Amino acid sequence: MQSELFEIYKIGIGPSSSHTFGPMVAAHRFLSLLDSDDYLKNTTTIYVELCGSLGATGKGHLSDVAVVLGLLGYKPESVPTEKIKSIFDDYSKHKMLKIGKNAQYVKLYIKFIEKPLAAHENGIRFIAKTTKEVLIRKNYYSIGGGFIEEDIVAQTSSSPRSLPYPFENAKALLAHTQDASLQKILLENSAVFHSHSAIFHHVNLLWEVMQEGIQKGLTHTGNLPAPTRLARRAHALHQGLESSDTSLPAFMHQMSWVNLFAIALSEENASGGRVVTAPTNGACGIVPAVLMYYHRFVEALDEEGLLRFFLVSAAIGGLFKRNASISGAEVGCQGEVGVASSMAAAGLAELMGATPAQVMIAAEIAMEHHLGLTCDPLNGQVQVPCVERNGVAAVTAIDAAAMALSRTHNQARVSLDEVIEAMRQTGKDMHPKYRETSCGGLAVVAKR
């Protein structure tokens, strides 16, 4: 267990936290299992089955690439992105990998299977074999945001640590604010798991990676990966906004910058670049766009402001993950873009001096107007409608924060806890073809 700040905000590569980040983590864990239990010395072949949503859209999300990288010992936060293509091309040519501490050669076969495993829509099965028998089978589940769960080998975990301000829902979190500020509550909870210096380092690193990703997105041109090959727009949009002859009204000019920041980072994610899960890769442009909006048009961000924003927004993301889901394959895009918008709205409201109750109202408003949002990516790639959707959701987050700040009373007709439960029920009832399988909606209607 870690603090939500470190769980919700992680550094990895695109295009998907559940379909790229997660499979890489799972493959790395399986490699460690083979090495630590001494299975690897007898392994000649590894079979990997990507099941359910991973089977349906894994090709477009580079799930097979992620598996190869993980088995080679790479981690999402540190894999050299410039080498990924050559690494996978080498595997594709030989169907062999040199893995483990003894650099042993094994054959690797990866299969995409649209039927899900029993426990979750994103299932990954690893099978290690000798020439004659199965050595070990292991199932992992990529549950969204880069999180992985296991179901075969019992996991040992330390006893839960006691938090100074425990809470399972927004109501309990708000109750603590009678005695302390949101920042104090969340910082002291995080300090149970990490030193203050580690917390500040993580916050600064998150902001650094977000800014670098936006800058790369503003610079790169051309098309995103095939088969969709969506034309990159951020570079041209940036040039237009930098021009002094813009005819847009002031408020539209600012919102165009918000769209630009979100699109730039979303395009970088879609190309396999390094991003921050916020709370997922598919929604990675929303939080940074809102932060950049504040930084550029309200007040320059300092370390204290970053800490407040990330602590509060991570807590909101944690509430959704704990009580509903942040997996598009499980609840649709409301669990990714909707949650990101809710997180960004809460963080912005906190920076703007909102009361704790107004922060929760901002989060509720943003999610309330994303309820039922489907995940139906064209060709199973994080391009259409994902890139534009990040921009729209970032603007929604700003609007939600503004609405919350204008409230003259703190009693919301619909609470954040209620909208989280509504999101969970909506996702549960949503037809699977609208949950990241590319079998319905835009993925079918707009297919070329």
Side-chain angles (χ1 to χ4, degrees), residues 385-401:
C386 317
V387 172
E388 284 184 353
R389 185 171 283 177
N390 272 249
V392 172
V395 172
T396 298
I398 295 169
D399 197 23

Side-chain angles (χ1 to χ4, degrees), residues 218-286:
L218 296 179
T219 304
H220 291 155
T221 58
N223 294 323
L224 297 175
T228 305
R229 292 183 60 80
L230 186 70
R232 282 180 175 266
R233 288 174 289 171
H235 178 70
L237 288 172
H238 186 221
Q239 288 184 317
L241 285 173
E242 287 283 25
S243 172
S244 59
D245 62 355
T246 178
S247 59
L248 290 173
F251 77 95
M252 290 187 71
H253 184 69
Q254 289 186 7
M255 291 306 100
S256 292
W257 276 100
V258 175
N259 283 325
L260 172 63
F261 297 141
I263 288 171
L265 199 43
S266 296
E267 288 180 349
E268 191 61 21
N269 173 65
S271 68
R274 179 154 283 118
V275 297
V276 175
T277 62
T280 68
N281 282 34
C284 72
I286 298 162

Side-chain angles (χ1 to χ4, degrees), residues 53-119:
S53 178
L54 290 175
T57 65
K59 273 287 184 184
H61 288 122
L62 308 183
S63 301
D64 49 349
V65 177
V67 166
V68 168
L69 293 172
L71 288 175
L72 287 171
Y74 291 110
K75 295 182 178 180
E77 65 271 21
S78 57
V79 58
T81 55
E82 71 280 0
K83 295 182 180 179
I84 290 175
K85 184 179 185 305
S86 62
I87 291 169
F88 189 72
D89 285 349
D90 185 66
Y91 157 71
S92 297
K93 182 178 179 180
H94 301 102
K95 300 299 180 184
M96 297 279 291
L97 295 180
K98 189 163 65 171
I99 66 174
K101 57 192 174 190
N102 295 323
Q104 179 172 329
Y105 279 101
V106 299
K107 296 178 182 177
L108 173 64
Y109 298 99
I110 302 173
K111 188 175 183 180
F112 294 87
I113 301 172
E114 294 192 15
K115 182 179 179 180
L117 299 178

Side-chain angles (χ1 to χ4, degrees), residues 200-352:
F200 277 102
H201 174 75
H202 188 61
V203 162
N204 286 319
L205 183 59
L206 293 174
W207 183 226
E208 179 183 321
V209 172
M210 287 177 175
Q211 291 181 95
E212 287 179 355
I214 290 173
Q215 189 56 45
K216 287 181 179 179
L218 296 179
T219 304
H220 291 155
T221 58
N223 294 323
L224 297 175
T228 305
R229 292 183 60 80
L230 186 70
R232 282 180 175 266
R233 288 174 289 171
H235 178 70
L237 288 172
H238 186 221
Q239 288 184 317
L241 285 173
E242 287 283 25
S243 172
S244 59
D245 62 355
T246 178
S247 59
L248 290 173
F251 77 95
M252 290 187 71
H253 184 69
Q254 289 186 7
M255 291 306 100
S256 292
W257 276 100
V258 175
N259 283 325
L260 172 63
F261 297 141
I263 288 171
L265 199 43
S266 296
E267 288 180 349
E268 191 61 21
N269 173 65
S271 68
R274 179 154 283 118
V275 297
V276 175
T277 62
T280 68
N281 282 34
C284 72
I286 298 162
V287 164
V290 172
L291 265 178
M292 284 296 292
Y293 162 78
Y294 183 89
H295 183 64
R296 184 180 180 101
F297 294 106
V298 182
E299 183 179 13
L301 282 161
D302 57 15
E303 191 173 61
E304 186 67 20
L306 288 170
L307 179 67
R308 288 169 58 203
F309 182 96
F310 281 122
L311 282 173
V312 169
S313 57
I316 298 301
L319 289 174
F320 278 99
K321 179 181 180 297
R322 186 180 306 125
N323 298 307
S325 175
I326 58 171
S327 169
E330 195 170 12
V331 295
C333 202
Q334 58 175 358
E336 298 195 37
V337 161
V339 173
S341 187
S342 187
M343 290 166 56
L348 179 60
E350 169 68 17
L351 286 179
M352 298 296 292

